[in-house]
Amino acid sequence: MSTGAGTGTAAEDRVFAALANATRREVLRLLRERGPQPVQVLADHFDMRRPSLSEHLKVLREAGLVSEQRSGRQRIYRLEAAPLAEVQDWLHPYERFWRDRLKGLGDLLDRLPDDDRS
Amino acid sequence: MSTGAGTGTAAEDRVFAALANATRREVLRLLRERGPQPVQVLADHFDMRRPSLSEHLKVLREAGLVSEQRSGRQRIYRLEAAPLAEVQDWLHPYERFWRDRLKGLGDLLDRLPDDDRS
DNA sequence: TTGACTGGTAGGGAATCACCTACCTATTGT
DNA sequence: ACAATAGGTAGGTGATTCCCTACCAGTCAA
């Protein structure tokens, strides 16, 4: 609980809300695939005015998904993946549901709670 | 790509949008921990009128995250975890970013694109 | 210092969201 | 048939989202 990871609070909410928008997910993909980039380069990929992208970047920043580093008059945005690790943590308890289902015994487990063994 | 998984389309959008709401995430948790349940039992856990919960269930249904099975006058909702597997697939290419960062060589990788090796 | 450039903030508008109160349908029990 | 129960749909409202057009602040180059 050092970083407040996976507690199900406001931080979690901000991350999921940030990921709810396709433009913002695309920004994350660009930063992942092309490395850190200034705003304008990012903006070239979208059919959208720059101020709108700036607001998306703000949402991502407040969710901790990107960081900015000033370099002259540019702001270089960089992917910060740590909150995505928390999403994976959130996802983890669901994993056996799709795994088990693939093995064909999902129906049995679906009818059973899982908190007995937690 | 058989089920249209992870293509970055409307289906993906519906799943992320569904997960953006804390009430809906809580519904998923309840279905996971307690197994399939009728609407009313789910509704007891929320400070919200039943019609509102019904709409949340509709969003979850249209995202493929729950299914309903009619049993008399009840509707039993069940967790459908397959779309969450797609979220995990979406998450996967980001994984090395938080892993590598933990090892202290994140800065190097952050500055490099990753699509060369894809 | 003036002008170009980068990128954020202010404020507004249309659309969507999340809730509500009615109301409707279907099923079950008497 | 009638009343009660389960749960969805209709329609309305305030808040939030996502976009826009100005406009402002900081940096660099002449």
Side-chain angles (χ1 to χ4, degrees):
Chain A
M1 53 190 67
S2 48
T3 59
T7 32
T9 52
E12 180 181 281
D13 228 83
R14 273 194 297 273
V15 173
F16 277 106
L19 295 180
N21 181 276
T23 296
R24 290 191 293 262
R25 289 196 304 276
E26 180 69 4
V27 168
L28 295 180
R29 191 184 66 77
L30 287 167
L31 293 179
R32 167 171 60 80
E33 291 190 347
R34 330 263 252 235
Q37 304 198 24
V39 175
Q40 217 177 25
V41 175
L42 290 170
D44 286 344
H45 294 275
F46 299 98
D47 184 27
M48 176 185 300
R49 304 294 169 201
R50 221 197 348 82
S52 304
L53 184 63
S54 261
E55 279 161 32
H56 283 306
L57 290 171
K58 185 180 185 178
V59 172
L60 289 169
R61 232 186 301 121
E62 289 173 347
L65 286 162
V66 301
S67 61
E68 71 166 31
Q69 176 205 349
R70 273 158 232 237
S71 168
R73 55 187 134 180
Q74 294 189 332
R75 257 108 146 164
I76 310 297
Y77 276 84
R78 166 182 313 211
L79 174 65
E80 295 291 340
L84 294 180
E86 296 179 26
V87 172
Q88 200 182 50
D89 290 346
W90 180 89
L91 225 42
H92 191 252
Y94 294 93
E95 202 169 320
R96 70 177 186 82
F97 279 83
W98 70 75
R99 279 207 206 293
D100 295 342
R101 176 162 289 281
L102 286 175
K103 288 177 190 161
L105 38 92
D107 286 343
L108 187 137
L109 286 158
D110 282 358
R111 278 173 237 273
L112 283 169
D114 72 355
D115 52 358
D116 319 291
R117 66 196 76 185
S118 74
Chain B
M1 53 189 67
S2 48
T3 57
T7 33
T9 53
E12 179 181 281
D13 227 83
R14 272 194 298 273
V15 173
F16 277 106
L19 295 181
N21 181 278
T23 297
R24 290 192 292 263
R25 289 197 304 276
E26 180 69 6
V27 167
L28 295 180
R29 191 185 66 77
L30 287 168
L31 293 178
R32 166 171 61 80
E33 291 190 347
R34 329 263 253 237
Q37 304 200 23
V39 175
Q40 218 178 26
V41 174
L42 291 170
D44 286 344
H45 294 273
F46 298 98
D47 186 25
M48 175 186 301
R49 303 294 168 198
R50 220 197 350 82
S52 304
L53 184 62
S54 262
E55 280 159 32
H56 283 305
L57 290 170
K58 186 179 185 179
V59 172
L60 289 169
R61 232 185 301 122
E62 289 173 349
L65 285 162
V66 302
S67 61
E68 71 166 31
Q69 177 206 348
R70 273 158 232 237
S71 168
R73 57 188 132 179
Q74 294 189 332
R75 258 108 146 164
I76 311 297
Y77 276 84
R78 166 182 315 209
L79 174 66
E80 295 292 338
L84 294 180
E86 295 178 28
V87 172
Q88 201 182 50
D89 290 346
W90 180 90
L91 224 43
H92 192 251
Y94 294 93
E95 201 169 321
R96 71 176 187 82
F97 279 82
W98 70 76
R99 279 207 207 293
D100 295 343
R101 177 162 288 281
L102 286 174
K103 287 176 190 161
L105 36 94
D107 287 343
L108 187 137
L109 286 157
D110 283 357
R111 277 172 238 272
L112 283 169
D114 71 358
D115 52 0
D116 320 289
R117 66 197 74 184
S118 72

